[in-house]
């Protein structure tokens, strides 16, 4: 299993994105986003997505260097259609516009539609937090076969529909909840399948609706489903993500015909806390909530009580030093995807080697 420096992974991702047709700035954003997802411990949304992106490009379902359409720009309301553009750039650009609008009028509701995969939603919360803004996002996943079985269902009807909420702190979000509404993200089942390991109890059902730990059917044959987290309550949140992102924000829904792409839509809010009230008091109270929660005695089996976002920070600190392990299957798939767009094995190895330090 290769262990790579963030620098080397970023360089090889940049090479692939450039060869896929992205201009330098877009390739840079894609590479930075994917490697930061790996650093945060979310390998499901890191460089392992590249083979899927190359497949989407070949199928005409991902458009590099796309120009978004501003459907509505009216005070605190922004509606932007990304028209299958590269999600990491389209979503970051849209959220930056929403932050700028929140800075003017106090808050912005962003309805962001029909982007190719936007990756780790926390990336956009981090942009908002860096500007002193609170952020929420209801996101759906469409144009893809259904993968999430809602509460009581024996078969899937939704995507992994992530939800994200974050508040600013001194160096990035003070607290950031960023999660799929399935027990695990679909990419985590792919990572388990690639490593040949089972997934945890309660995450998957098989084609008959029975619990299983084996990701093979789900990944290889598209049978079975990921279960919604948190019984009927988590399942309800997944349904609301679908409604907010498709019906309300106007993006493609899981109920529409799928072409085999990965389309994300999102209804996001950005609130400038300095316009809402006394930003210093809000910041102090956020820290007070955090300290209060963390002051609880850890339960048996836990070393520490953590707040959302802490595991990712710890992961990133460790991986910045130790490097990022990429499992053999994922690495082989990335090389094969690179070759399919004309990057020779020698050129691939040269870029990895030249950036190894
Ligand atoms: P996860 O289960 O690893 O973590 C979910 C949340 O729980 C995080 O906020 C994390 O900080 C928090 N957490 C984890 N362990 C904790 C602990 N011990 N104590 C307190 N809090 C803890 O994440 P996930 O659901 O697998 O999602 C992974 C990523 O996938 C996210 O970044 C999400 O945005 C992304 N995603 C994207 C899409 C898409 O279509 N673009 C779809 C699904 C998920």
């Amino acid at each position: 299993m290769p262990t790579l420096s963030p620098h080397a992974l970023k360089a090889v991702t940049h090479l692939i994105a450039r060869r896929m047709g992205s201009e330098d700035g877009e390739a840079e954003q894609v590479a930075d986003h994917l490697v930061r997802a790996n650093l945060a411990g979310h390998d499901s949304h890191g460089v392992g997505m590249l083979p899927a992106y190359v497949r989407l490009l070949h199928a005409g379902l991902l458009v590099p260097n796309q120009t978004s359409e501003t459907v509505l720009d009216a005070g605190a309301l922004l509606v932007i259609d990304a028209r299958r553009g590269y999600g990491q750039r389209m979503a970051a650009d849209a959220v930056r516009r929403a932050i700028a609008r929140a800075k003017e009028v106090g808050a912005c509701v962003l309805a962001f539609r029909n982007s190719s995969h936007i990756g780790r939603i926390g990336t956009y919360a981090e942009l908002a937090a860096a500007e002193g803004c609170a952020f929420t996002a209801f996101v759906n996943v469409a144009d893809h076969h259904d993968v999430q079985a809602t509460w009581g269902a024996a078969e899937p009807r939704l995507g992994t529909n992530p939800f994200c909420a974050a508040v600013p702190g001194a160096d990035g979000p003070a607290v950031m909840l960023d999660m799929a509404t399935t027990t695990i993200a679909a990419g985590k089942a792919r990572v388990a399948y690639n490593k040949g390991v089972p997934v945890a109890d309660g995450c998957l059902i098989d084609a008959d609706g029975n619990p299983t730990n084996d990701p093979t059917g789900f990944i290889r044959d598209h049978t079975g489903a990921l279960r919604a987290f948190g019984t009927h309550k988590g399942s309800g949140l997944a349904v609301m993500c679908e409604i907010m992102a498709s019906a309300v924000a106007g993006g493609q829904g899981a109920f529409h015909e799928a072409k085999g792409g990965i389309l994300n839509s999102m209804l996001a809010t950005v609130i400038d806390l300095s316009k809402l009230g006394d930003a210093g008091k809000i910041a102090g109270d956020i820290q007070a909530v955090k300290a209060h929660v963390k002051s609880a005695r850890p339960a048996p089996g836990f070393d520490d009580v953590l707040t959302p976002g802490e595991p990712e920070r710890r992961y990133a600190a460790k991986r910045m030093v130790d490097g990022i392990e990429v499992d053999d299957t994922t690495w082989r798939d990335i090389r094969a995807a690179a070759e399919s767009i004309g990057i020779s094995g020698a050129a691939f190895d040269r870029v990895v080697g030249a950036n190894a330090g």
Side-chain angles (χ1 to χ4, degrees), residues 42 45 117 119-121 141 160 176 178 180 188 264 306 309 312:
H42 293 303
H45 287 72
H117 190 241
R120 178 178 164 254
I121 312 305
V141 193
T160 51
M176 179 167 82
D178 175 26
K188 288 194 174 154
N264 282 138
L306 303 179
E312 285 80 0

Side-chain angles (χ1 to χ4, degrees), residues 45-230:
H45 287 72
V47 296
M49 287 304 298
L50 286 167
Y53 292 171
V54 170
R55 179 183 61 75
L56 293 174
L57 180 80
H58 288 320
L61 298 172
L62 183 164
V63 184
N65 309 319
Q66 179 62 295
T67 306
S68 64
E69 180 194 352
T70 301
V71 180
L72 177 73
D73 182 344
L77 297 175
L78 264 184
V79 181
I80 296 173
D81 193 317
R83 303 162 71 223
R84 288 191 189 272
Y86 228 132
Q88 283 80 5
R89 179 173 70 84
M90 303 307 278
D93 287 356
V95 169
R96 283 198 185 96
R97 282 179 66 184
I99 294 167
R101 186 56 52 86
K103 289 275 163 198
E104 284 171 37
V105 300
C108 181
V109 175
L110 169 67
F112 175 74
R113 305 173 175 167
N114 303 328
S115 174
S116 195
H117 190 241
I118 64 175
R120 178 178 164 254
I121 312 305
T123 307
Y124 313 109
E126 285 165 0
L127 293 177
E131 297 295 331
C133 296
F135 177 88
T136 64
F138 294 88
V139 182
N140 81 337
V141 193
D143 206 36
H144 192 271
H145 65 274
D146 294 330
V147 296
Q148 173 166 195
T150 56
W151 181 241
E155 56 180 344
R157 283 293 180 269
L158 296 177
T160 51
N161 291 7
F163 173 78
C164 183
V167 286
D171 56 344
V175 179
M176 179 167 82
L177 176 65
D178 175 26
M179 57 174 214
T181 49
T182 41
T183 41
I184 52 171
K188 288 194 174 154
R190 169 175 49 83
V191 171
Y193 172 74
N194 286 347
K195 288 183 176 169
V197 299
V199 300
D201 288 347
C203 294
L204 271 180
I205 55 173
D206 64 18
D208 299 319
N210 293 314
T212 180
N213 299 94
D214 182 357
T216 308
F218 177 70
I219 295 296
R220 196 188 59 195
D221 311 326
H222 297 172
T223 57
L226 295 165
R227 298 174 80 174
F229 85 102

